[in-house]
Amino acid sequence: MGRFLRLGTAEPYSALEDYRWRKRQQHKDDVPAFLPLLACSVMAASRMVNDRNHRATAYHARFSELLTGDEKRLGSHHYEPVSRMWQVLASWQHSQKGARGLCTIPAPADLPANRSMIGFAQSQALLSGADRSFMPKFFRSLREHGATWPLPGKTLLAQIEIRGMEQHFSRGFRNALQEEELRLFLANLIGNYAASWDGSDELVPTGVTRAELLVRLDAGRLSWVARLRSAEQKERIELNDGVVLEQLGDTAYYEVTGLPAPSADTLTRGIRRDGDNLVLSRPSSSVLVLARDDVLGVWAGTDGFHPGEAHVVLAAPTAQRDVQRLLDKAATTGRSADTSKLAWVPQGWSMHKPVTFDDAVTLRRALQEVQGTVGLLQPPAQFKLRLEGGLKLAPSLDSHLYLRGGEPQVVLPDTTEGTGTLLVDGKERPELRKALAAGRPASLAVLRLEPGRHTVSYAGVEIDFATADQAVIEPKMTKVCGFTVADGKASESPSLLVEQTLPTGITGADCTGAKAQDAAASMEVCRRDADEVLFAAADGRLWTLEAPEQPDWWTERLPDTPAPLRFEADFHGIGGWLLERRSGRWKGRPVNPGTPKPNSAGNPRAWARAVLNAQQASVESSWAAYVQAAKELDR
């Protein structure tokens, strides 16, 4: 860490902070780059013992010796940025929902003055490596007993306690279960693992994206296709062992090359390939269920049965008896196996098509009775009232606007137990009873609703939507002409406004972006003997105020130069905080501070660093707002 230090300067850690800021701009979810420095801080705390030269609390001497080899190069006044790094680490760990441990440090106000800048963090992961290894076994035990999957995190924690499975987890996990705040983190963490679990014996590591490997049936041939649910959709992804993913158009699906074709062997063995921050996987399975995919336009693998839809069911010899039992109990069509000899059917496997289940209640009951792999093909879990499908009109204007006659389907949550009544526009509709009683999505198109606003409500939950015969879509503006504004003054001639200047530019008759040029000036008196004088403006700009040279008449008219002398600083049409540092302490005064909006101008990184370095400059609520805005930028 020593090579990152700028010894002999007022900010010895600025190079590390600059590096961390650049890394954060590229990868916001990555581990903060100053973590090794905090590790040195912990090591220094562990070496606090009495000797001939230091007391047990002589922390900073140990820290300086560890980083520089000299116990006097870094003192307590250099520790403010390190203290802030602990705060950033705690904020980052909370943003990871406990997946990367938790950092708990006391507020400076809760500590004695001589310890207010020392981290003394207690950090540990909520789930150990052994806990993560046990998770797939725990998830499988729940699914094999007919549980609808995935279950929410709170339910999973309750199942651990009901089944007495705490002894299989680490002591840290058991302790966290007893604390209400940490229990919420555990619920989110385990719920995320359950939602991303693909049925294999290994969990996908935290922070790594999982791509689902699916089977596609197209033109009488089985092939692989991957589905990647990620905000960043790359056109080409290369994995280990020569596996390549090529994006299919502008979709979440990828063509897969480099894998053996789907066969009786590859379907039952399971597949997993790792790449750069991505895992492509498919668990071993003796039953393959295909359904029509709206995006691909062909048959593709699905995790479970969808009531009311057609399926193709392929079963290995070990699962054929269970599949037949399930179809005999619950299927509306497709009970008999298709005996035609099709080349794409895996050798030795049976095929049923088209398989439909019109009654979801009967299907769920049959899945609970049939054990084995078939019992895991539960319909997708529904935890809340929702609308699906339908023909949307102009989603860019209103995501809940549908074409009249193309209204969506309404889906009830699985936990309703028939206790509530579905109301459309405040009335019960008999046309929907049959579908709802069978546990299927109910189409609102059969109600022939008039154009306008409508509501669907159930058990205290209400969803609004609208129908119309047509929608007028206004063309998007590709170019905007106006006047740019710099330092409160509008440009003399118009120009095309780009993305950076559009928010503050003047367009049409809108003059709110400019300030009057004769705005009243504020004058402040600054100390000449200050080590540093800064002005942090509310809009994110930062100035260093240099003291002017002493005029000649001072020596002529002043027999003894008083100390400290001061100089004037004028502020025209701008507000913020004036900051002065003397003897390692910051003092601040407001200058028409206003509400801080550091993203609007200037250099937000430099602004945030200056404000956080001087966060103890004042106790006023206005300054606290500036510090909070800087912390938001520095996360």
Side-chain angles (χ1 to χ4, degrees):
M1 291 303 302
R3 63 188 181 90
F4 281 96
L5 297 180
R6 293 177 177 173
L7 299 176
T9 66
E11 298 181 2
Y13 309 107
S14 58
L16 181 60
E17 290 187 307
D18 291 342
Y19 175 75
R20 183 257 165 180
W21 182 270
R22 292 195 302 270
K23 295 292 288 183
R24 178 186 179 275
Q25 294 296 95
Q26 298 171 3
H27 305 288
K28 293 185 178 181
D29 293 331
D30 280 359
V31 178
F34 48 67
L35 195 60
L37 181 66
L38 299 187
C40 294
S41 175
V42 174
M43 292 173 62
S46 68
R47 297 181 182 182
M48 290 169 50
V49 295
N50 285 314
D51 58 23
R52 295 180 180 180
N53 301 317
H54 305 98
R55 295 186 306 161
T57 55
Y59 167 76
H60 297 98
R62 310 292 181 183
F63 188 48
S64 178
E65 183 179 16
L66 186 65
L67 290 178
T68 70
D70 186 342
E71 62 188 28
K72 297 181 179 179
R73 298 292 297 276
L74 296 173
S76 60
H77 60 287
H78 293 126
Y79 200 78
E80 289 185 13
V82 181
S83 176
R84 176 160 50 86
M85 291 176 192
W86 282 114
Q87 299 285 352
V88 173
L89 175 64
S91 176
W92 174 80
Q93 287 182 308
H94 273 77
S95 71
Q96 300 297 308
K97 305 298 184 183
R100 303 295 181 89
L102 292 177
C103 177
T104 56
I105 59 176
D110 298 332
L111 295 172
N114 66 330
R115 293 178 54 196
S116 61
M117 289 298 153
I118 302 178
F120 289 118
Q122 297 176 355
S123 179
Q124 59 184 14
L126 296 180
L127 288 179
S128 67
D131 292 335
R132 289 182 173 86
S133 298
F134 179 73
M135 282 294 169
K137 300 177 183 177
F138 169 57
F139 293 159
R140 188 173 293 109
S141 69
L142 293 178
R143 290 190 64 182
E144 288 177 351
H145 287 83
T148 300
W149 196 261
L151 293 172
K154 291 183 179 180
T155 303
L156 292 170
L157 291 184
Q159 286 294 324
I160 290 175
E161 294 172 324
I162 292 172
R163 296 166 178 257
M165 303 182 74
E166 299 97 323
Q167 69 273 13
H168 296 288
F169 292 88
S170 64
R171 178 180 299 178
F173 179 91
R174 296 196 299 269
N175 292 338
L177 273 179
Q178 307 306 316
E179 299 186 34
E180 191 60 33
E181 181 180 358
L182 297 184
R183 189 181 178 94
L184 294 176
F185 276 102
L186 280 180
N188 289 331
L189 188 57
I190 295 180
N192 290 338
Y193 275 133
S196 63
W197 180 55
D198 63 354
S200 61
D201 294 332
E202 296 181 58
L203 292 176
V204 174
T206 303
V208 175
T209 304
R210 184 175 78 88
E212 301 171 85
L213 185 61
L214 307 176
V215 178
R216 173 181 56 186
L217 172 58
D218 184 20
R221 185 174 68 93
L222 294 181
S223 60
W224 297 115
V225 64
R227 180 168 56 196
L228 180 60
R229 293 187 175 99
S230 174
E232 181 182 2
Q233 300 287 348
K234 299 180 180 179
E235 294 183 1
R236 177 183 173 91
I237 302 173
E238 296 184 5
L239 305 177
N240 296 341
D241 301 329
V243 177
V244 178
L245 309 184
E246 297 278 357
Q247 189 175 18
L248 293 172
D250 188 21
T251 71
Y253 289 90
Y254 288 76
E255 190 79 36
V256 181
T257 57
L259 286 178
S263 63
D265 183 49
T266 55
L267 291 175
T268 54
R269 279 194 293 109
I271 297 175
R272 179 182 174 116
R273 294 292 187 275
D274 292 35
D276 184 15
N277 209 35
L278 184 139
V279 170
L280 174 69
S281 64
R282 181 186 186 276
S284 60
S285 177
S286 56
V287 179
L288 176 62
V289 177
L290 306 173
R292 296 291 297 186
D293 189 283
D294 294 335
V295 177
L296 296 175
V298 296
W299 297 92
T302 182
D303 292 335
F305 294 111
H306 297 262
E309 296 185 15
H311 306 82
V312 174
V313 180
L314 302 173
T318 56
Q320 291 174 6
R321 180 173 177 272
D322 292 334
V323 168
Q324 190 62 59
R325 287 179 57 206
L326 172 68
L327 300 182
D328 289 341
K329 288 176 177 290
T332 306
T333 62
R335 294 184 179 182
S336 301
D338 191 320
T339 57
S340 57
K341 302 296 182 182
L342 299 177
W344 56 267
V345 177
Q347 186 175 4
W349 287 44
S350 64
M351 179 183 66
H352 296 258
K353 69 175 182 69
V355 176
T356 58
F357 301 92
D358 287 343
D359 193 319
V361 177
T362 302
L363 171 61
R364 292 185 186 278
R365 187 180 299 116
L367 287 170
Q368 292 176 359
E369 295 176 1
V370 178
Q371 299 298 313
T373 305
V374 180
L376 306 181
L377 298 171
Q378 294 277 351
Q382 309 297 337
F383 296 115
K384 61 181 180 180
L385 179 72
R386 67 183 182 90
L387 301 177
E388 68 176 15
L391 300 176
K392 292 187 176 183
L393 276 176
S396 60
L397 299 179
D398 187 346
S399 59
H400 302 291
L401 176 63
Y402 298 87
L403 177 68
R404 184 188 181 193
E407 292 83 359
Q409 296 176 316
V410 59
V411 181
L412 297 186
D414 293 335
T415 56
T416 55
E417 300 179 358
T419 56
T421 301
L422 178 69
L423 302 179
V424 180
D425 295 335
K427 300 178 181 178
E428 184 178 2
R429 308 304 291 260
E431 302 96 315
L432 307 179
R433 287 178 184 171
K434 183 177 180 180
L436 295 176
R440 300 195 309 270
S443 175
L444 298 175
V446 300
L447 301 180
R448 302 182 182 276
L449 299 174
E450 293 295 326
R453 305 297 303 182
H454 302 280
T455 61
V456 175
S457 58
Y458 186 89
V461 179
E462 186 174 281
I463 300 177
D464 294 325
F465 69 98
T467 59
D469 292 321
Q470 62 181 354
V472 178
I473 304 177
E474 298 181 359
K476 292 184 178 180
M477 294 184 295
T478 57
K479 296 182 180 180
V480 178
C481 186
F483 297 84
T484 59
V485 178
D487 296 330
K489 183 178 180 181
S491 61
E492 296 180 356
S493 58
S495 61
L496 291 178
L497 301 182
V498 297
E499 184 179 354
Q500 291 78 7
T501 59
L502 185 59
T504 57
I506 299 175
T507 59
D510 178 16
C511 298
T512 57
K515 300 177 182 177
Q517 298 186 24
D518 58 349
S522 297
M523 190 273 288
E524 294 291 331
V525 179
C526 308
R527 298 180 67 108
R528 283 183 175 273
D529 64 340
D531 298 326
E532 192 175 9
V533 181
L534 301 176
F535 182 73
D539 61 4
R541 288 178 288 177
L542 180 71
W543 286 274
T544 298
L545 305 185
E546 300 289 347
E549 294 183 0
Q550 297 181 5
D552 294 338
W553 59 264
W554 277 19
T555 57
E556 298 174 0
R557 300 184 185 182
L558 300 174
D560 297 318
T561 302
L565 293 173
R566 300 174 183 269
F567 66 92
E568 298 177 359
D570 294 330
F571 302 93
H572 297 269
I574 191 171
W577 271 78
L578 185 65
L579 306 170
E580 296 177 336
R581 180 172 61 85
R582 295 177 64 244
S583 302
R585 297 282 182 178
W586 287 92
K587 297 292 183 182
R589 302 195 304 276
V591 182
N592 301 322
T595 303
K597 297 179 180 179
N599 282 321
S600 59
N603 184 342
R605 178 183 63 83
W607 186 93
R609 189 172 67 188
V611 170
L612 291 173
N613 281 339
Q615 58 182 300
Q616 296 182 343
S618 176
V619 296
E620 292 189 22
S621 58
S622 172
W623 178 241
Y626 276 65
V627 174
Q628 182 60 35
K631 289 181 179 179
E632 293 292 335
L633 277 175
D634 200 47
R635 282 182 180 171

